[in-house]
Amino acid sequence: MLGLNDNNNRFNINANNNINNNRPARGMICPCRDTLIPQPIKVKTYKNLWSNLCSMENLELAYRKAKRHKSRNPRIIEFEKHWQLHLCILHKELITKAYKPMPLRKFVLRDPKTRIICVSDFRDRIVHHALVNVLRPIFEPRFIHDSYASRKGKGTLAAIERFDEFKRRLTRNGKLCADARNNNDVIGYVLKADIRHYFPTVDHDILLNIIYERVKDDDVRWLTKTILDNYETEEPNKGMPLGNWTSQFFANIYLNELDQFVKHTLRAKHYIRYVDDFVIMHESKSKLQEYEVKIKEFLNRLKLELHPDKCSITPLRNGVSFLGFKIFYHHKIVRKRNLRKIKNKLAEALAKYKKGIMSATEVTDILNGWSAYAMQGNTYQLREKLNSELVVRLKNASIYRR
């Protein structure tokens, strides 16, 4: 039988240890049509969700999630003074459908790519969490195993570990090329790509149709559309704001269509996606070229396209840039851009430390968090150097706090 144990797991197209993980997701989008049409499979639908979404229990849970790690924010401090009253008002606005989100606050972030980050009002962030609390149990079980962004138990570290697992499987534990010059010259290729301007180009109608296929509660539909419509763009019914919790969740729902296509139509075993960035490994370059053509065709139906400058097929022996690392078979190094980002972040934190806005513990927590990520690579000397420099800079900065 296929995929029943580790020895036969090579037949499992999801490339994990889930026995039943080869079956297509219910209501999977049919890739062979000119439009997005559900397959003739009975789809489980969900009604009567609104009362649960608006309940005080759900709103309180959403409130606690929204304020997590943000206790020093002045707006949150002000909200906390009468948080129960604010939640009661929010509850009434939702029940009567009088709720209207505040305009988004925008600022520019350069890291080094220039991005426009949108910040919702705190009470709106509570509503975002309340909505996701209700929608997540519906859609999360339908996501593939190897989608790693904004999901519990996933993240960049898990994605990199999965990359390492896939490269060992594909190369049969490091089989070398015929003309190998060193032990990193292994067989195999990687298609690496990302979606061009993903968040600004998400089509609202397509996204809502995907959600509405399962969610038959008109009130939940109204709230979902209200949140999407609060983001104003030059092109109507397009785009999601970077920075919203709902945007991260909706991004996974939208690209789950691509995930299902890659896993169940292309039957690609070694596929990993993190937000709009994905890789597929295969021992055949021509097969990856075939995948690339078919993925481009499928993305047209989602009104998306691959970034022309960030789509390439690379031999594994040359190393692959993925999630901040340059990954070779036997080692990984941190990309220069990633190193610049943490140095800039530490510089900003030290400036706040001098002004008494941040504590020394909070500053070191930033480096410790990055170090836990960087430990996935060959970075011991780099981490020790950054830590030593930070100790000296904190000591010097403490003079200004007196």
Side-chain angles (χ1 to χ4, degrees):
M1 293 180 68
L2 302 186
L4 286 181
N5 54 48
D6 289 340
N7 294 328
N8 285 329
N9 202 40
R10 62 185 182 276
F11 297 111
N12 185 325
I13 61 173
N14 274 330
N16 56 36
N17 297 320
N18 295 346
I19 293 175
N20 296 318
N21 215 20
N22 282 335
R23 69 182 186 275
R26 296 175 182 174
M28 186 181 73
I29 297 303
C30 178
C32 56
R33 307 291 180 86
D34 292 332
T35 55
L36 292 171
I37 301 174
Q39 285 186 346
I41 299 175
K42 187 175 181 181
V43 175
K44 183 177 181 181
T45 59
Y46 298 81
K47 303 177 182 179
N48 304 318
L49 302 170
W50 188 241
S51 60
N52 182 33
L53 189 153
C54 298
S55 69
M56 290 301 295
E57 292 82 4
N58 187 43
L59 290 178
E60 183 173 343
L61 175 62
Y63 158 68
R64 300 196 183 283
K65 287 182 176 180
K67 73 169 186 172
R68 191 176 297 161
H69 308 307
K70 299 179 180 70
S71 59
R72 287 178 175 266
N73 187 303
R75 289 182 173 86
I76 298 177
I77 292 172
E78 187 63 28
F79 189 97
E80 281 186 310
K81 292 178 181 177
H82 307 287
W83 67 270
Q84 290 173 312
L85 175 61
H86 290 306
L87 291 188
C88 287
I89 295 171
L90 201 52
H91 169 76
K92 185 175 180 180
E93 288 182 8
L94 289 170
I95 288 293
T96 60
K97 296 174 78 170
Y99 168 75
K100 185 177 180 180
M102 297 288 289
L104 296 166
R105 291 181 290 113
K106 299 180 180 180
F107 66 92
V108 177
L109 178 67
R110 294 179 175 87
D111 64 340
K113 184 190 298 184
T114 300
R115 303 172 187 268
I116 297 177
I117 305 298
C118 299
V119 180
S120 294
D121 188 78
F122 181 63
R123 72 194 302 270
D124 294 329
R125 279 181 267 164
I126 294 173
V127 174
H128 297 170
H129 278 278
L131 176 61
V132 173
N133 286 348
V134 170
L135 293 183
R136 182 182 289 282
I138 298 172
F139 290 96
E140 179 72 26
R142 292 164 180 83
F143 295 158
I144 66 167
H145 177 82
D146 290 312
S147 166
Y148 283 90
S150 305
R151 298 177 65 194
K152 188 175 181 179
K154 302 292 184 176
T156 54
L157 295 183
I160 292 168
E161 289 173 356
R162 189 66 158 168
F163 188 100
D164 288 341
E165 180 183 345
F166 280 173
K167 76 185 181 188
R168 288 192 296 269
R169 289 188 191 182
L170 180 69
T171 63
R172 298 186 286 281
N173 290 323
K175 182 178 178 181
L176 299 178
C177 301
D179 60 341
R181 293 161 298 180
N182 58 61
N183 61 0
N184 281 310
D185 286 351
V186 293
I187 61 172
Y189 297 85
V190 178
L191 167 61
K192 183 183 182 300
D194 73 12
I195 311 298
R196 186 172 185 266
H197 302 317
Y198 176 48
F199 280 87
T201 56
V202 167
D203 187 274
H204 289 189
D205 292 334
I206 293 176
L207 173 61
L208 290 171
N209 283 338
I210 294 169
I211 295 173
Y212 291 176
E213 183 186 13
R214 297 188 180 278
V215 177
K216 302 302 182 183
D217 187 308
D218 290 338
D219 294 325
V220 175
R221 289 179 169 189
W222 164 78
L223 181 60
T224 303
K225 192 172 189 310
T226 297
I227 292 171
L228 285 173
D229 290 344
N230 192 45
Y231 181 57
E232 296 180 0
T233 58
E234 295 179 359
E235 189 174 356
N237 293 321
K238 282 278 190 179
M240 300 187 298
L242 279 170
N244 273 6
W245 176 229
T246 46
S247 297
Q248 298 173 51
F249 181 67
F250 291 157
N252 275 336
I253 291 178
Y254 203 83
L255 281 186
N256 184 54
E257 305 299 316
L258 172 64
D259 297 340
Q260 299 296 338
F261 173 73
V262 171
K263 297 302 295 184
H264 298 291
T265 301
L266 299 185
R267 299 183 69 81
K269 293 186 199 176
H270 305 120
Y271 167 76
I272 301 170
R273 181 177 63 81
Y274 188 89
V275 194
D276 58 346
D277 194 4
F278 66 87
V279 294
I280 307 176
M281 297 185 201
H282 203 281
E283 58 189 21
S284 167
K285 183 177 181 179
S286 61
K287 192 66 175 178
L288 290 178
Q289 290 170 334
E290 177 188 329
Y291 285 169
E292 182 181 351
V293 171
K294 291 182 178 180
I295 286 172
K296 286 179 178 178
E297 292 173 355
F298 182 81
L299 287 175
N300 285 336
R301 304 171 198 174
L302 292 173
K303 298 185 180 180
L304 299 173
E305 59 179 317
L306 295 181
H307 198 299
D309 299 329
K310 298 181 180 179
C311 182
S312 61
I313 297 174
T314 307
L316 266 173
R317 66 191 297 178
N318 291 351
V320 180
S321 295
F322 186 54
L323 299 180
F325 285 101
K326 182 84 168 182
I327 304 176
F328 297 87
Y329 186 81
H330 285 288
H331 71 280
K332 307 180 193 71
I333 55 176
V334 174
R335 296 182 66 191
K336 290 181 180 178
R337 185 175 72 178
N338 193 315
L339 186 56
R340 282 198 300 270
K341 283 175 66 175
I342 185 60
K343 286 183 176 181
N344 290 339
K345 196 169 183 179
L346 288 172
E348 292 173 5
L350 282 164
K352 291 180 180 179
Y353 173 70
K354 287 181 181 179
K355 296 176 182 178
I357 300 173
M358 292 183 73
S359 66
T361 301
E362 288 173 319
V363 176
T364 55
D365 282 347
I366 293 173
L367 180 58
N368 290 339
W370 182 85
S371 295
Y373 156 80
M375 283 176 66
Q376 291 291 312
N378 301 76
T379 60
Y380 176 77
Q381 291 183 349
L382 173 62
R383 286 182 282 117
E384 287 295 299
K385 180 182 177 183
L386 288 176
N387 189 61
S388 298
E389 290 176 351
L390 182 60
V391 169
V392 173
R393 294 173 72 182
L394 279 171
K395 185 176 180 180
N396 291 336
S398 64
I399 298 172
Y400 296 91
R401 290 168 61 93
R402 294 173 184 171

